[in-house]
Amino acid sequence: QVQLVESGGGLVQAGGSLRLSCAASGRTFGFYTMGWFRQAPGKERELVAADTWGVSRTRYADSVKGRFTISRDKNTVLLQMNSLKPEDTAVYYCVADLTNIGVLPNEYAYWGQGTQVTVSA
């Protein structure tokens, strides 16, 4: 039994910042990879950022490089989002898996319920 719980979403003006948090709990600890997907209305679910524990590897979507920063502490993952743009508006999902970092949704076995991020123009 594993649970991922996100927090920190909300409404922010363009150029502002938000910090998302995700905590994993349950029987499974020490996920190899944790990260964030997002899905905007009418768009495909995409990987925003991911971190692989113990190998100092992170991955970011091109659209967020230089603006978003992922940080990891075992079963907790944070996403610092700066210089937010209206196109960042989406539901953000915390994800986790026991395997290597991936870019497709089906490569992550565990998902949070999602948290809404809305960026006004």
Side-chain angles (χ1 to χ4, degrees), residues 29-93:
F29 299 105
F31 287 116
Y32 193 60
T33 301
M34 294 186 69
W36 298 87
F37 276 80
R38 69 183 181 186
Q39 187 166 28
K43 296 184 178 180
E44 295 288 323
R45 191 169 293 185
E46 67 170 343
L47 181 70
V48 179
D51 176 272
T52 301
W53 181 259
V55 296
S56 300
R57 287 199 301 177
T58 58
R59 191 164 191 165
Y60 293 93
D62 288 341
S63 60
V64 308
K65 288 180 179 177
R67 300 188 297 119
F68 291 11
T69 303
I70 189 170
S71 59
R72 174 87 179 278
D73 185 7
K74 197 171 182 180
N75 288 328
T76 301
V77 62
L78 308 177
L79 186 68
Q80 180 66 46
M81 304 185 294
N82 298 326
S83 301
L84 283 161
K85 304 175 180 179
E87 52 263 44
D88 295 318
T89 296
V91 176
Y92 285 70
Y93 297 90

Side-chain angles (χ1 to χ4, degrees), residues 11-16 83-89 117-121:
L11 175 65
V12 66
Q13 189 175 1
S83 301
L84 283 161
K85 304 175 180 179
E87 52 263 44
D88 295 318
T89 296
V117 171
T118 302
V119 184
S120 62

Side-chain angles (χ1 to χ4, degrees), residues 15-32:
S17 299
L18 284 174
R19 178 175 173 268
L20 304 184
S21 300
C22 175
S25 62
R27 298 187 66 192
T28 301
F29 299 105
F31 287 116
Y32 193 60

